Amino acid sequence: MDFMVTQRRPKQSSMDFMMTQRRPKGDEVYSEGRQRAWTLPVKPVFRKSLLVSSNLDRSSSSHWSPASSPVPSSVADGFLLGFRPALVFAQMFSLLPVSKPSDAQHADFRWKSARTVITAIIIALAIFKSSFSIIRMIETGVKYNTSVNAIFFTMTITAQVLFLRVSSAWRGLVLAVGRVEAVFIRVYGNPHKLRPRMLAVTAAALAMAVVEHAMAIMGTLGYVWPCYQRGGVSLLLQGYFLTKYRKTFTMMTFTAWKAAVVMALQIINHFVWSFLDLFVSLFAMGLSARFHQINIELEAISNEAQTPEFWRRKRALYNVLAELVRQVDLVLGPVILVSYASDLYFICLQTLSIVNPVNVSRFHKVYFSFSLAYIILRTTFMTYVASNLNEESKRPKDVLFDLPSSSYSIEAERFLTQVLTDNVALTGCNFFTISRSFLLTVGGTIVTYVVVLVQFNRGKDANPDAALSNGTVSCTCEDLKIYSC
């Protein structure tokens, strides 16, 4: 049975029309109202009641594409399934307190839930911990080299609050994604190897984050290794925390459970810091893959004459996908802004630590180099896949410019006008648009800031928490700054 919308609406968007359109039989002619629905340039409204059913008639799929594909048992078989491992890790660290986040029909967020309460507690503890870093920064002076921890916690706490905002809008977002996915799966099927690529990116990003954080821990342990020689594992761990979190344990008495809480907060915040770029990258990969499917079909028929009805359908698909990008950008915009701000700061910090290596051990030099390469790689990858979304949205113009006269029509012209004038891209709250040229802009900005910082910090310690040139301490009260010795 064909899927029909039974409720009358004053206006019907192109997305609604695609969900309700029946395949013409025989000499059946579409009514004038149905024909106009294809050309309405209004934005589709993503309603829960209009979520595409999985029981759509398969025979109607040939109306959309010569290569018809069966309707999957779940719209999660595409993009959302590839997103699932990243979302599982996000929930492990209480970053996305949503029930079944990868299920388009059952995702649910509630402010009064155990998941949300745990997330709120973690944010409160992180704010409490960051206050010590801010106090230390104020006491030592607000300088670039003493503001590292304060800025790190400020960035990650802001990101956690923003992910609460994302969580509150998550159900509507995945419903919109699932609805569009159902249409594109009927027309084109799943994108080629999208899920394996998303899984590979997730695994690589998380693995590099673990290595980077492990190297940071090993650097501090190497610095306080004499503590192990003087008092075993117990004194080694105490030396680690009293060195790494100096201000925290000068204002509080050191105990094992407090150290465990501080370490847990550090791991969670490091994951949040690393997850920002991955989250944006995976969304961009899924959206650009759908634009790529449209472009592959258009390029395959570029030399064939097509009817105005064909171009109506392709413009409707393009318009629905462009609207989904705008809805995703509305939710992810603040996350993108914080992500780039964080990446820019830490690229400058690690670059300064490398080009101005004052009082740092050899191991820390290796760590700074790896950390810098890791941050640059993830920032570049995020920018590349997000800019690829913008590039894919512009590709139809090449086919439309080369249309033969017999295939050119008012519908093809409308399609071309939309491709040329509609800026389909992810943005940082509309402060900037992620495109290929934006990557060069970011690179130039980093070089400029690093040159300035090197001039103002020449001869100063680039990182106050780095080890001294001899690489170790004697593990005395003076070394560890234990004021209650």
Side-chain angles (χ1 to χ4, degrees):
M1 180 180 294
D2 292 330
F3 180 78
M4 302 293 293
V5 177
T6 58
Q7 184 179 359
R8 293 179 61 86
R9 294 178 176 82
K11 287 186 179 181
Q12 188 177 29
S13 69
S14 57
M15 183 67 180
D16 295 331
F17 180 75
M18 286 193 294
M19 296 295 97
T20 61
Q21 181 67 20
R22 296 185 304 165
R23 185 182 181 184
K25 300 178 181 180
D27 297 330
E28 178 182 356
V29 180
Y30 294 109
S31 65
E32 182 181 359
R34 292 279 185 172
Q35 290 180 348
R36 289 180 179 177
W38 278 109
T39 61
L40 288 176
V42 299
K43 296 182 179 180
V45 179
F46 296 97
R47 301 184 180 90
K48 297 179 183 179
S49 60
L50 295 182
L51 184 65
V52 180
S53 171
S54 61
N55 297 320
L56 292 172
D57 186 3
R58 295 186 180 184
S59 64
S60 63
S61 63
S62 59
H63 178 63
W64 306 108
S65 172
S68 60
S69 58
V71 178
S73 59
S74 170
V75 294
D77 286 343
F79 163 68
L80 291 178
L81 190 59
F83 215 144
R84 182 176 296 173
L87 298 178
V88 169
F89 275 99
Q91 292 201 309
M92 288 174 56
F93 292 90
S94 299
L95 189 58
L96 197 70
V98 179
S99 175
K100 299 180 179 180
S102 60
D103 191 328
Q105 300 186 37
H106 301 98
D108 184 40
F109 169 79
R110 297 180 182 179
W111 286 103
K112 296 180 180 179
S113 67
R115 296 175 186 269
T116 308
V117 170
I118 293 174
T119 300
I121 292 174
I122 291 175
I123 293 175
L125 289 175
I127 293 174
F128 179 70
K129 170 65 180 71
S130 66
S131 64
F132 296 117
S133 299
I134 295 174
I135 292 174
R136 183 191 177 197
M137 181 181 67
I138 295 174
E139 289 179 350
T140 58
V142 182
K143 302 176 182 179
Y144 180 84
N145 60 347
T146 60
S147 61
V148 178
N149 289 331
I151 291 180
F152 174 78
F153 277 103
T154 300
M155 291 286 187
T156 54
I157 291 170
T158 302
Q160 288 173 303
V161 173
L162 290 177
F163 268 99
L164 276 179
R165 174 183 176 271
V166 172
S167 299
S168 65
W170 187 257
R171 177 171 172 79
L173 185 61
V174 295
L175 281 172
V177 171
R179 191 162 177 251
V180 174
E181 281 281 291
V183 176
F184 275 79
I185 288 175
R186 291 188 63 195
V187 179
Y188 301 110
N190 284 315
H192 181 61
K193 294 184 179 180
L194 174 62
R195 184 189 175 198
R197 285 187 284 119
M198 294 179 69
L199 294 178
V201 169
T202 301
L206 295 179
M208 292 186 69
V210 170
V211 172
E212 196 270 347
H213 190 55
M215 290 183 67
I217 294 176
M218 290 172 60
T220 306
L221 287 177
Y223 177 51
V224 298
W225 186 252
C227 295
Y228 175 78
Q229 299 171 339
R230 292 171 62 91
V233 176
S234 176
L235 187 59
L236 174 66
L237 294 178
Q238 185 175 359
Y240 171 84
F241 285 102
L242 292 174
T243 302
K244 186 72 174 179
Y245 310 103
R246 182 172 301 170
K247 190 62 181 179
T248 301
F249 290 110
T250 56
M251 299 186 69
M252 295 191 307
T253 304
F254 177 86
T255 59
W257 71 267
K258 292 178 183 178
V261 171
V262 170
M263 176 58 76
L265 287 175
Q266 183 69 24
I267 293 174
I268 291 173
N269 280 274
H270 188 273
F271 173 81
V272 173
W273 175 66
S274 303
F275 188 73
L276 290 173
D277 293 4
L278 175 63
F279 189 70
V280 176
S281 299
L282 293 178
F283 258 109
M285 290 176 66
L287 294 171
S288 62
R290 289 305 183 187
F291 277 110
H292 183 70
Q293 287 182 306
I294 296 178
N295 294 326
I296 290 298
E297 182 188 10
L298 294 181
E299 291 170 359
I301 53 89
S302 58
N303 296 324
E304 302 175 7
Q306 301 295 333
T307 63
E309 182 71 12
F310 172 85
W311 294 114
R312 281 196 198 100
R313 290 197 293 267
K314 297 311 157 189
R315 190 179 68 83
L317 285 170
Y318 182 94
N319 187 55
V320 166
L321 195 53
E323 178 57 30
L324 179 61
V325 173
R326 281 187 282 270
Q327 186 168 353
V328 170
D329 182 64
L330 187 65
V331 177
L332 265 62
V335 176
I336 294 173
L337 184 62
V338 172
S339 177
Y340 273 104
S342 174
D343 290 346
L344 180 63
Y345 174 81
F346 283 101
I347 287 175
C348 292
L349 172 67
Q350 303 300 54
T351 304
L352 180 62
S353 301
I354 293 173
V355 301
N356 190 26
V358 179
N359 293 332
V360 295
S361 66
R362 181 175 300 178
F363 181 85
H364 275 83
K365 292 179 182 179
V366 175
Y367 163 69
F368 291 146
S369 299
F370 179 84
S371 179
L372 176 63
Y374 163 63
I375 301 172
I376 290 178
L377 179 61
R378 77 183 199 187
T379 305
T380 303
F381 181 79
M382 176 180 66
T383 306
Y384 174 78
V385 295
S387 64
N388 194 49
L389 168 62
N390 179 251
E391 292 294 317
E392 290 288 347
S393 70
K394 296 177 180 179
R395 275 179 60 186
K397 72 178 185 298
D398 298 329
V399 175
L400 293 168
F401 277 138
D402 293 335
L403 282 181
S405 300
S406 58
S407 184
Y408 198 78
S409 64
I410 187 64
E411 294 302 329
E413 183 179 354
R414 292 188 66 186
F415 192 8
L416 177 60
T417 301
Q418 181 169 358
V419 173
L420 292 175
T421 59
D422 193 2
N423 186 26
V424 181
L426 296 178
T427 69
C429 293
N430 291 318
F431 285 107
F432 55 85
T433 298
I434 304 179
S435 60
R436 294 290 170 84
S437 60
F438 177 71
L439 181 60
L440 297 178
T441 303
V442 172
T445 303
I446 291 172
V447 172
T448 302
Y449 277 118
V450 168
V451 170
V452 173
L453 290 171
V454 169
Q455 295 298 322
F456 279 94
N457 290 272
R458 187 175 299 277
K460 299 179 181 179
D461 191 356
N463 191 331
D465 294 324
L468 298 177
S469 57
N470 59 11
T472 60
V473 297
S474 300
C475 198
T476 63
C477 293
E478 179 64 24
D479 288 328
L480 301 181
K481 306 299 182 184
I482 306 175
Y483 299 105
S484 59
C485 274

